[in-house]
Amino acid sequence: MINETTHETLHETSRETPRGTTREGAPLAGRIALVAGATRGAGRAIAVQLGAAGATVYVTGRTTRDRLSEVGRGTETIEETAELVTAAGGTGIAVPTDHLEPEQVRALVDRVDREQDGRLDVLVNDVWGGEHLIGASFGKKTWEIGLADGLRMLELGVKTHLITSHAVLPLLTRRPGGLVVEITDGTTAYNATRFRENLFYDLAKNAPIRMAFGLAKELAAAGGTAVSVSPGWLRSEQMLATFGVTEATWRDATAKVPDFAVSESPVYVGRAVAALAADPGRARWNGQSLDSGRLAREYGFTDADGSRPDSWGFLLAKEADPAVRAEDYR
């Protein structure tokens, strides 16, 4: 059964028309997308918003209604994500896939190839699932962190993306115009001079930025585009649970953590990726590091509540002036 709060939030479709709309309400009609790591959070929202724009979306992950991944949350499944995609107006197809297993990823690509007559237009690399490894390790020195946990972060956040790109890109590049979106935490502008408190996490979240930069060079000859995109402070299902709130009551958490006022729902980054996918001029972004707030300003969309949060802008401003209010950046 679909969680009602999640359904209501993610089923919100953009009230604005993104650039690149080819016909009213369905700018991605006929397009085929693969969202790797779409069980929850940003990946789920991106899949839903691509569906809201009319796309057929393959959604992958390890948590299904029959099997739980190491994340340990059975409250979100890829089947539920596929249902949300279809409810939003697209076609959602759930394919259980462990992106650390090349054979499973190749089987996924073969299925898309077979079912969609050799077509794939968008790859979103959002595989992660390492939150359970980082909580107690922030602020610790590298040698104080369990090596197995640190290396697992790199497997989940880097190796999965490499395996997926290696298997998927031969299909994506058969037609010009393919889009690859590497989802990460932080932008080049923010991460380049700031340590993300944990060396393993820092590497795991900077690698996708560099991957997008490198893939941009390789895809250009095939008429493709690669970018990295970061949400801001994301109110994922896990983040809401950590704060003991729901999407409907998230502002209650600002009583204890005022900066949470700049947080954003997953819908925001979902709309960001959908707008990119619908933009025929997206090649101008090739190789760049982007974030949901910047893309909202560019394309004119808002978060589900009509606001336009700028988490990264707030963090930079607060470094210069600690008195800056989060509320002034949404």
Side-chain angles (χ1 to χ4, degrees):
M1 180 177 179
I2 296 175
N3 176 276
E4 292 301 323
T5 301
T6 302
H7 183 277
E8 290 170 6
T9 302
L10 294 181
H11 190 46
E12 285 279 347
T13 55
S14 179
R15 296 183 180 87
E16 303 82 12
T17 302
R19 294 181 191 177
T21 300
T22 54
R23 68 181 178 83
E24 184 64 25
L28 297 180
R31 307 281 184 87
I32 312 302
L34 165 59
V35 182
T39 310
R40 58 183 65 82
R44 168 173 282 192
I46 291 166
V48 172
Q49 292 304 312
L50 290 170
T56 293
V57 188
Y58 286 80
V59 300
T60 70
R62 295 174 297 164
T63 298
T64 69
R65 287 181 173 139
D66 300 319
R67 179 174 296 180
L68 194 65
S69 78
E70 69 190 78
V71 174
R73 290 181 61 88
T75 46
E76 304 93 28
T77 67
I78 58 169
E79 294 94 340
E80 181 181 87
T81 299
E83 290 166 1
L84 287 166
V85 170
T86 301
T91 300
I93 303 170
V95 185
T97 307
D98 183 341
H99 286 264
L100 281 171
E101 299 295 335
E103 297 80 6
Q104 291 189 31
V105 182
R106 285 194 289 268
L108 164 68
V109 175
D110 288 344
R111 176 174 172 176
V112 176
D113 188 359
R114 182 176 64 254
E115 293 180 352
Q116 303 303 329
D117 297 322
R119 177 165 192 160
L120 181 67
D121 302 287
V122 179
L123 166 63
V124 179
N125 245 333
D126 182 57
V127 185
W128 172 229
E131 288 87 352
H132 64 290
L133 300 170
I134 63 176
S137 65
F138 272 126
K140 289 186 177 181
K141 301 292 190 296
T142 302
W143 54 92
E144 297 171 339
I145 298 168
L147 182 60
D149 286 350
L151 293 178
R152 186 63 175 171
M153 286 187 218
L154 295 175
E155 284 189 326
L156 293 170
V158 182
K159 188 176 179 180
T160 55
H161 289 226
L162 289 169
I163 289 171
T164 302
S165 293
H166 189 271
V168 173
L169 292 182
L171 175 58
L172 187 83
T173 54
R174 284 187 197 169
R175 301 167 185 258
L179 173 66
V180 176
V181 181
E182 286 284 339
I183 301 298
T184 190
D185 177 20
T187 63
T188 295
Y190 187 85
N191 287 357
T193 58
R194 292 164 182 82
F195 181 50
R196 299 307 301 273
E197 299 185 68
N198 174 315
L199 183 58
F200 295 101
Y201 184 80
D202 188 284
L203 290 170
K205 294 306 178 181
N206 276 292
I209 296 174
R210 192 66 185 176
M211 286 185 203
F213 178 78
L215 288 174
K217 304 296 184 184
E218 297 179 344
L219 290 173
T225 300
V227 299
S228 63
V229 174
S230 175
W233 193 342
L234 190 71
R235 294 196 302 274
S236 65
E237 297 88 346
Q238 287 177 277
M239 183 63 69
L240 291 171
T242 297
F243 278 92
V245 294
T246 67
E247 181 57 30
T249 64
W250 71 267
R251 286 187 176 275
D252 292 349
T254 63
K256 292 184 178 179
V257 184
D259 289 356
F260 198 54
V262 81
S263 65
E264 60 194 58
S265 84
V267 170
Y268 203 40
V269 71
R271 289 177 174 172
V273 174
L276 274 172
D279 182 2
R282 61 181 172 271
R284 70 187 187 278
W285 300 112
N286 200 26
Q288 293 192 43
S289 167
L290 308 168
D291 66 90
S292 48
R294 179 180 179 184
L295 291 171
R297 294 189 296 273
E298 173 70 20
Y299 290 107
F301 61 85
T302 66
D303 202 346
D305 64 359
S307 67
R308 195 167 285 152
D310 180 14
S311 290
W312 298 109
F314 165 70
L315 289 174
L316 291 170
K318 190 172 182 180
E319 287 182 2
D321 179 7
V324 166
R325 297 173 64 249
E327 284 284 3
D328 295 335
Y329 283 80
R330 62 174 312 115

